[in-house]
Amino acid sequence: MRIAVCDDSVREQEQLLRALRDYDPTRRPECFLSGKDLLAAAAKEPPFDIVFLDIYMPGENGVEIAESLRTSSPSTGIVFVTTSTDHAVEAFSLHALHYLVKPVTSEGVTEAFCRLCELRKKKRPLIQLPFGSGCHTVFLDEISYIQSIGHAKEVHLTDGRLIKVWMPMEELESKLGKNFLKLNRSFIVNMEQIEQMEMDACMLRNGIRLDFARRERAAIRAAYDRYLFDRLSGGV
């Protein structure tokens, strides 16, 4: 297991390391004094399993560092460590694993690892979206809808981010799960994000309205009805 501790204070790092040793003395975390160094190390394989990240560091914002880390390594569990609860709402909007207030205790560390285990049990499916010589890795449930514009495919995420990729719609569609529905030649929607179904269109949670292909309206509504039935019966 790859573990990281990021805090600009060596004293605070040592305190957290003591709590980690109390939890499991066999763990050997990597320690960083800045978010910049953490992100550089996170770019290497394998990704960090869990990161204990200080929010308040000189010239750096831990929440922004976490956003960058979430983009490059969405499977990493992020635990915010801070002296205040001021950023708790922002932290959990990033799907933070835990939020620990200093001084960190072994009980807090134990709870963080328990949450990591529970998260892994859920096995949130991922998709890799190529760009240039690299790729973006995102959870499927973070995708709101996909729009085809010429040769480009715009992947709209639930947090407002947009990822542009160049690949055939059919190839992209084959990588998606059963929760995704093709509405027409230009749009694929995550049915989890549908707020309301109409006769010829659907309204998403973010307020976007997407039209159906005229000849496929009945089939699209039927597919959505099956999705709802499976979800209510525990099949999704």
Side-chain angles (χ1 to χ4, degrees):
M1 177 177 286
R2 196 176 179 207
I3 303 170
V5 173
C6 183
D7 195 309
D8 65 288
S9 168
V10 174
R11 183 177 62 83
E12 299 286 1
Q13 279 191 15
E14 290 175 348
Q15 186 179 61
L16 200 155
L17 291 175
R18 284 195 294 271
L20 276 168
R21 284 193 293 270
D22 288 341
Y23 165 72
D24 186 344
T26 67
R27 301 300 181 187
R28 296 292 181 268
E30 300 173 46
C31 297
F32 306 93
L33 293 171
S34 72
K36 180 181 178 181
D37 291 340
L38 169 67
L39 293 175
K44 302 175 183 178
E45 293 293 340
F48 286 113
D49 294 276
I50 189 169
V51 171
F52 292 85
L53 176 61
D54 185 21
I55 287 184
Y56 299 102
M57 292 183 287
E60 294 183 309
N61 183 317
V63 173
E64 294 177 356
I65 294 167
E67 289 175 346
S68 298
L69 183 62
R70 176 65 70 224
T71 299
S72 62
S73 181
S75 63
T76 297
I78 298 174
V79 179
F80 285 105
V81 182
T82 182
T83 56
S84 166
T85 59
D86 290 347
H87 289 275
V89 174
E90 291 177 89
F92 285 104
S93 71
L94 286 169
H95 304 289
L97 196 64
H98 207 352
Y99 193 99
L100 301 177
V101 178
K102 298 177 181 179
V104 177
T105 64
S106 58
E107 290 78 11
V109 169
T110 299
E111 175 63 21
F113 279 95
C114 286
R115 294 187 182 191
L116 180 64
C117 290
E118 288 300 317
L119 181 64
R120 288 184 167 180
K121 288 179 182 178
K122 295 179 180 178
K123 295 182 179 179
R124 293 171 68 194
L126 299 165
I127 185 173
Q128 291 188 328
L129 302 172
F131 76 100
S133 59
C135 68
H136 288 287
T137 304
V138 300
F139 291 112
L140 285 179
D141 60 18
E142 291 181 322
I143 298 175
S144 178
Y145 68 96
I146 299 168
Q147 181 177 8
S148 176
I149 302 179
H151 294 294
K153 306 299 176 289
E154 294 187 346
V155 181
H156 296 260
L157 305 185
T158 55
D159 62 4
R161 286 183 293 144
L162 171 65
I163 298 175
K164 186 174 291 189
V165 298
W166 280 263
M167 60 191 302
M169 196 66 148
E170 293 75 13
E171 180 182 351
L172 181 55
E173 188 176 6
S174 69
K175 297 177 181 294
L176 302 173
K178 59 184 178 181
N179 289 352
F180 288 81
L181 178 63
K182 189 172 184 179
L183 303 180
N184 52 48
R185 289 190 299 177
S186 299
F187 288 97
I188 296 175
V189 65
N190 181 353
M191 289 186 281
E192 292 182 1
Q193 295 301 313
I194 294 177
E195 183 75 23
Q196 181 180 350
M197 288 291 286
E198 302 173 3
M199 290 296 295
D200 58 354
C202 62
M203 184 70 71
L204 305 188
R205 294 178 184 177
N206 58 10
I208 299 293
R209 185 177 185 273
L210 301 178
D211 295 327
F212 304 155
R214 184 181 298 273
R215 295 182 178 180
E216 301 297 327
R217 290 175 181 174
I220 290 170
R221 291 196 299 272
Y224 183 67
D225 287 343
R226 288 194 298 272
Y227 160 79
L228 287 181
F229 178 81
D230 287 342
R231 184 174 181 180
L232 291 172
S233 61
V236 175

